[in-house]
Amino acid sequence: MLGDLDLKTGVLSWINCGHHPPVLIRGKRWTAHLDCPPTHPLGTDLDVPVNLCRAQLEPGDRLLLYTDGVVEARDAKGHEFGRDRFVDFVIRGQADGLAAPETLRRLVRAVLAHHDGQLTDDAAVLLCEWHGDTQTTASPAQYESAIRQGSRRSALSTSS
């Protein structure tokens, strides 16, 4: 994943280099996977088209990004920790009023306990929350304008 979050407008732009799509948590519930067609892994040139994807966040939205080693961690019987369980764990932490760092600390402990204390694959998690522009409050029309301007800038920069 390679992404950019415009902290003023809440426009998230990203490319997917082969990982699971980010999860959007809005209103303390799992809202959607932010799907984006995957491209080649960073640092390789496999002649696969690069798709720049965008989403407009709302104040209070949380993004959950993760690698497969988290959701594919298996217990002694071969059962995966699982994406649904993973996302539900984070949402329950949010509903309980836990800060993101505490939610992730508990999540890591739960995944490790599920996998007998040691992971055998990459395991990375990022949970971030966009609070909105704290300097000014933009209207929905201003957010849409920012998205359109970002799209034009991307088209101009890729065409040169």
Side-chain angles (χ1 to χ4, degrees):
M1 241 2 126
L2 178 64
D4 176 66
L5 175 57
D6 185 320
L7 296 178
K8 191 162 192 75
T9 65
V11 174
L12 174 69
S13 304
W14 78 99
I15 60 172
N16 181 346
C17 298
H19 284 288
H20 294 281
V23 174
L24 174 64
I25 300 171
R26 179 172 288 157
K28 297 185 180 180
R29 68 179 197 273
W30 180 356
T31 300
H33 286 284
L34 298 179
D35 287 322
C36 185
T39 188
H40 53 81
L42 287 176
T44 64
D45 185 12
L46 303 177
D47 206 24
V48 177
V50 175
N51 297 294
L52 179 63
C53 298
R54 288 193 173 77
Q56 175 64 58
L57 302 185
E58 296 178 7
D61 280 355
R62 286 186 172 189
L63 283 173
L64 182 60
L65 296 99
Y66 57 98
T67 60
D68 60 350
V70 177
V71 295
E72 294 173 5
R74 297 180 183 274
D75 64 13
K77 295 181 181 177
H79 299 112
E80 290 185 349
F81 192 82
R83 185 191 64 193
D84 292 350
R85 179 178 176 186
F86 165 70
V87 173
D88 185 58
F89 190 100
V90 173
I91 290 172
R92 281 186 285 124
Q94 182 176 346
D96 290 345
L98 298 176
E102 179 61 19
T103 299
L104 293 182
R105 186 186 70 75
R106 292 180 184 194
L107 173 67
V108 167
R109 289 177 68 185
V111 171
L112 283 170
H114 180 80
H115 199 62
D116 292 330
Q118 186 173 350
L119 297 177
T120 58
D121 195 2
D122 65 317
V125 180
L126 172 67
L127 177 62
C128 62
E129 180 175 351
W130 184 61
H131 295 279
D133 182 7
T134 57
Q135 302 299 316
T136 60
T137 303
S139 69
Q142 289 169 315
Y143 286 131
E144 289 299 317
S145 174
I147 291 172
R148 285 192 301 279
Q149 288 176 2
S151 296
R152 282 197 294 269
R153 277 195 298 267
S154 292
L156 291 174
S157 65
T158 58
S159 65
S160 52

